[in-house]
Amino acid sequence: MIKSSDEKRNGTGDGTRVNEIAIEARNTIKAFGQGGVAVRALDDVSVEIRKGEFFTVLGPSGCGKTTLLRLIAGFETPTSGQILLHGTDITHLPPNKRPVNTVFQSYALFPHLTVAENVGFALKMQGRPRAEVAQTAREMLELVRLGHLADRRITQMSGGQQQRVALARALAARPQVLLLDEPLSALDLKLRQEMQVELKRLQHETGITFVFVTHDQEEALTMSDRIGVMSAGKIQQIGSPREIYTRPVNRFVASFIGETNFLPATLGPEGAHLSGGEVIELATSGPRHGPVTLTVRPEQLRLTPPDEPGALPAIVTDWVYLGTDTHVHLQLRDGTALVARLQSNPTGETDLTRGGAMGVRFAPGAVQVVEE
Amino acid sequence: MSALEDQARARSVRNAWALSAPALVILAVAAVGPLLIVLVYSFLTPGKYGNVEWQFSTDGWLGILFTRDIFDDTLKLADAHLTIWWRSVRLSLLTTLFTFAVGFPTAWFIATRPPRARGFWLFLITIPFWTNLLIRTFAINEVIRNEGLFNTVMIRLGLFSEPLRIINTDAAVLMGMTYVYLPLMVLPLFAAIDRFDMRLLEAGYDLYANRWQVLRHVILPIVKPGIVAGSILVFVPSLGAYVTPRVLGGGKNMMIGNFIELQFGQGRNWPLGAALSVTLLLITTAALLFYVRAANKGGNGHG
């Protein structure tokens, strides 16, 4: 289906995949408006998306992730920079000439056509024979498990069904890259979780490169091979869900994906010095010195008796029982507030007291230095 | 209990009839009555000085397409009548086509303006309605007649050596009707395009449709109810047009409206005029039925 690429690359990821680049954005800038009031929706974004991977662009609304998707689809032209598909420059190719299809946030299904006609639309526009169009539409509807509803009108379909039709329609022409623009945001929680599994299955079965845009970090972590975290028109970090979660490069990434604690510290030769005088040993000792921010996930905190050697002295300010977990709010001597997520015990009871002294330890390697 | 319910229902039915009585009376007196008179007159014999004689005859109806030979009374197809019918239908269809060709881009333009600007553009479209139709038609006459604005300018510029004869031709009538009926095409088209979800355009392009295919397979089918409504609104009055062909077409390029008028005036053949009127009404009704069916079919999928 997808043949040859000019650019073969050596793997830096999990190694099992051929790390051929399907789509690449190279130094793309997209400015809206003119002159002094111009706003950069994309500010020098470069990203390489590998063939056959499930790549998620994650970021808050207005971060430019949809603009990036629209540049790849061809609905927008970058102010500067290039979009490459398998090494070929497609920056100025109109959307109807790109082997790239989109699942729109609003689905954008054609109301005047039946479900099967919607799915067959791309092939019909390509001038394929009628029989082939019908056959492919049928197969695609089977793939998304809607084979029995082929002759329905779009308006007779539920939101979840429309979602599947939109998927089938975008996959029907076997695009080299499938773009998904927050396709699950209109669905309720249960349906959304079903579709997450469904999307992974479809991606696996078709082998098509998926570029998925979302603001939902859980969605991103669940489905992606790699995630590109965006903020303010820039890519902040690209990596596997595990890398993004455990080794965030900056404060934004650390706080946007999951919950976390921040501690101001000063780097010295033996570790990070908190302002209260305690020293935390770091797994990776960089060459850096001076003031930094440390981050550690709430589930990496351990509570100890207050006088245990090596533990940071802290005071329990509050706790919240959340079923499986209990969140314990703590305060260090220098005033830094921390949250620890502990597994609740079988009775749900705790022996904590508000204002009581406790020791805090961090799991080995859990503390990361992040940029502001 | 059931008797009480029946009584209540009977009372509400009586009230409904009583409340609609004024409207029904007006409809009976002003619409159904005159139509019946027209229908009855079409089956009578023409009087010598206009009016009718109360004697049954189908000559009025035969006169729509046929004429009687003066000498042996045999029926022949009346070429003049056929020409008028053909001209009316042809010019009306062409008017519909031209108003669509001009009106669709216009309506698209208006519907794609920012919401606040749309009101202004729509307002411009309705300006011609402020002036009497007759005056507007004479204004066109003034522009296109042999000594009119257009020809004078062209001759002064040396582009024409003699005036281009536009006035008193079918082209003049077509031009006039296209101008007069254009708003009736633009407004329903605008309403349809305004409802059109522009995101579908991107979906179309994304799915390998070129601009022409997007127009043909996405836009036109979806705004079809607006196209049909506009076409009917233009076609129906075009068919019965009277003022425009009279002022711009001269005496020779008659359309059905003028032909009917002729029968009630100089022609002194009221039954023929009545029969022609009823025929026109039937054609119009057929067009409207076609519209209702097409609109229902189109509206089926997306309300």
Side-chain angles (χ1 to χ4, degrees):
Chain A
M1 166 186 52
I2 304 164
K3 289 268 172 275
S4 85
S5 160
D6 304 349
E7 293 187 353
K8 292 266 181 195
R9 294 189 149 258
N10 293 322
T12 51
D14 53 9
T16 54
R17 225 176 282 279
V18 182
N19 289 319
E20 197 178 297
I21 303 303
I23 200 111
E24 180 182 354
R26 201 177 274 175
N27 302 109
T28 47
I29 294 176
K30 178 66 186 177
F32 291 104
Q34 300 270 309
V37 290
V39 178
R40 281 193 177 182
L42 287 183
D43 194 356
D44 197 15
V45 166
S46 293
V47 56
E48 292 179 342
I49 295 162
R50 295 172 195 152
K51 180 181 155 183
E53 80 174 331
F54 196 121
F55 189 91
T56 299
V57 183
L58 174 67
S61 54
C63 72
K65 57 189 192 295
T66 296
T67 306
L68 179 61
L69 203 71
R70 292 176 60 81
L71 285 180
I72 299 173
F75 301 134
E76 312 269 1
T77 313
T79 311
S80 71
Q82 283 177 305
I83 304 289
L84 295 98
L85 179 72
H86 291 293
T88 314
D89 187 349
I90 57 163
T91 314
H92 297 284
L93 210 60
N96 56 317
K97 302 230 171 92
R98 297 185 185 200
V100 171
N101 288 139
T102 308
V103 177
F104 295 89
Q105 188 171 13
S106 63
Y107 312 149
L109 297 171
F110 301 120
H112 61 297
L113 301 178
T114 64
V115 167
E117 286 167 339
N118 262 281
V119 175
F121 189 86
L123 295 174
K124 191 179 164 194
M125 292 303 109
Q126 289 177 328
R128 306 280 183 84
R130 193 180 292 248
E132 188 196 330
V133 173
Q135 169 71 19
T136 309
R138 230 181 353 258
E139 283 169 14
M140 285 297 148
L141 284 171
E142 289 299 332
L143 190 67
V144 297
R145 301 180 178 141
L146 283 179
H148 56 298
L149 298 176
D151 297 322
R152 287 273 183 96
R153 289 259 156 202
I154 291 303
T155 42
Q156 294 169 304
M157 310 287 275
S158 72
Q161 289 170 333
Q162 292 193 14
Q163 168 71 77
R164 285 160 190 264
V165 177
L167 262 170
R169 185 179 72 169
L171 286 169
R174 293 253 146 206
Q176 295 184 16
V177 178
L178 184 75
L179 308 175
L180 302 107
D181 185 10
E182 306 217 19
L184 308 184
S185 61
L187 304 179
D188 60 48
L189 181 66
K190 192 168 171 295
L191 215 48
R192 197 156 63 224
Q193 287 168 343
E194 269 177 43
M195 282 309 294
Q196 287 177 5
V197 177
E198 188 82 6
L199 278 174
K200 274 304 278 183
R201 179 181 68 87
L202 282 174
Q203 200 253 339
H204 188 73
E205 282 179 21
T206 58
I208 291 172
T209 309
F210 276 33
V211 182
F212 185 89
V213 157
T214 184
H215 63 268
D216 183 335
Q217 44 113 355
E218 191 203 312
E219 235 168 59
L221 292 175
T222 317
M223 296 195 286
S224 320
D225 293 324
R226 287 195 308 152
I227 299 173
V229 184
M230 279 190 78
S231 165
K234 289 187 174 171
I235 297 261
Q236 305 291 330
Q237 186 174 2
I238 296 176
S240 68
R242 188 186 307 235
E243 281 165 1
I244 299 272
Y245 187 79
T246 58
R247 292 203 297 280
V249 295
N250 61 26
R251 183 184 267 269
F252 174 81
V253 175
S255 62
F256 192 74
I257 289 117
E259 288 167 43
T260 198
N261 294 298
F262 292 110
L263 300 99
T266 311
L267 281 192
E270 61 275 36
H273 298 254
L274 299 185
S275 56
E278 302 87 349
V279 177
I280 299 170
E281 280 181 35
L282 297 172
T284 52
S285 56
R288 297 179 50 192
H289 290 276
V292 292
T293 301
L294 304 179
T295 183
V296 58
R297 300 285 178 188
E299 66 272 19
Q300 304 299 339
L301 267 61
R302 306 274 178 272
L303 294 192
T304 65
D307 46 3
E308 190 173 296
L312 302 177
I315 290 169
V316 176
T317 54
D318 200 2
W319 70 88
V320 181
Y321 174 67
L322 293 166
T324 35
D325 297 330
T326 301
H327 284 190
V328 182
H329 295 255
L330 303 151
Q331 195 170 28
L332 297 184
R333 274 208 309 231
D334 61 0
T336 308
L338 295 179
V339 177
R341 184 195 281 175
L342 308 174
Q343 205 169 20
S344 302
N345 61 28
T347 57
E349 307 277 335
T350 65
D351 49 3
L352 298 167
T353 51
R354 287 187 181 83
M358 272 289 169
V360 177
R361 274 179 169 283
F362 303 124
V367 180
Q368 297 290 319
V369 178
V370 293
E371 289 165 20
E372 272 305 307
Chain B
M1 195 62 198
S2 155
L4 265 176
E5 271 176 11
D6 283 350
Q7 270 183 13
R9 193 172 302 129
R11 198 180 313 124
S12 86
V13 169
R14 257 200 321 276
N15 284 344
W17 277 104
L19 286 170
S20 19
L24 290 175
V25 168
I26 290 174
L27 270 178
V29 172
V32 181
L35 275 179
L36 282 176
I37 294 172
V38 172
L39 192 63
V40 170
Y41 273 30
S42 70
F43 287 105
L44 297 178
T45 310
K48 274 213 174 59
Y49 307 103
N51 212 333
V52 286
E53 283 177 13
W54 283 84
Q55 195 176 4
F56 179 80
S57 162
T58 53
D59 276 7
W61 285 93
L62 289 172
I64 293 170
L65 293 178
F66 301 99
T67 182
R68 273 191 200 285
D69 194 284
I70 317 172
F71 301 108
D72 57 10
D73 248 19
T74 52
L75 285 173
K76 296 191 300 192
L77 272 178
D79 292 346
H81 298 191
L82 284 176
T83 309
I84 292 170
W85 278 113
W86 170 233
R87 178 184 296 120
S88 296
V89 172
R90 185 170 54 96
L91 287 181
S92 300
L93 287 175
L94 283 173
T95 303
T96 310
L97 197 69
F98 279 35
T99 49
F100 177 72
V102 178
F104 188 82
T106 311
W108 187 271
F109 173 84
I110 298 173
T112 50
R113 289 315 93 190
R116 284 177 59 198
R118 277 179 220 168
F120 169 73
W121 290 105
L122 284 175
F123 163 77
L124 287 187
I125 294 287
T126 59
I127 280 185
F129 289 128
W130 296 6
T131 312
N132 185 287
L133 171 62
L134 198 57
I135 294 171
R136 279 185 283 148
T137 314
F138 271 110
I140 295 180
N141 186 331
E142 188 53 38
V143 172
I144 62 175
R145 73 195 168 91
N146 288 1
E147 302 81 22
L149 190 67
F150 175 72
N151 277 316
T152 309
V153 168
M154 285 315 206
I155 290 170
R156 287 276 169 82
L157 287 175
L159 292 170
F160 294 169
S161 57
E162 56 186 56
L164 181 70
R165 188 166 164 269
I166 307 171
I167 196 74
N168 297 350
T169 62
D170 283 359
V173 178
L174 186 57
M175 195 186 293
M177 291 207 299
T178 302
Y179 162 68
V180 168
Y181 296 122
L182 184 60
L184 300 180
M185 179 62 90
V186 170
L187 296 177
L189 277 180
F190 165 78
I193 297 171
D194 192 38
R195 283 197 305 270
F196 178 78
D197 181 356
M198 294 292 167
R199 290 176 295 194
L200 296 180
L201 296 182
E202 283 189 351
Y205 290 127
D206 190 61
L207 297 164
Y208 310 108
N210 57 34
R211 292 165 81 92
W212 164 248
Q213 285 173 317
V214 166
L215 180 68
R216 161 94 178 65
H217 294 286
V218 180
I219 301 172
L220 290 182
I222 294 178
V223 302
K224 191 174 124 197
I227 298 173
V228 176
S231 301
I232 294 295
L233 283 179
V234 170
F235 181 77
V236 167
S238 295
L239 205 56
Y242 172 74
V243 169
T244 314
R246 180 67 183 270
V247 174
L248 300 177
K252 277 169 66 189
N253 298 290
M254 256 189 278
M255 285 177 63
I256 282 300
N258 312 98
F259 193 44
I260 292 171
E261 191 264 353
L262 187 68
Q263 304 314 319
F264 285 98
Q266 295 161 296
R268 277 178 279 181
N269 192 346
W270 288 24
L272 176 57
L276 287 167
S277 303
V278 174
T279 310
L280 186 60
L281 185 73
L282 291 177
I283 295 176
T284 309
T285 311
L288 284 171
L289 283 177
F290 166 77
Y291 163 63
V292 170
R293 280 190 52 195
N296 280 345
K297 219 165 116 197
N300 200 9
H302 47 103

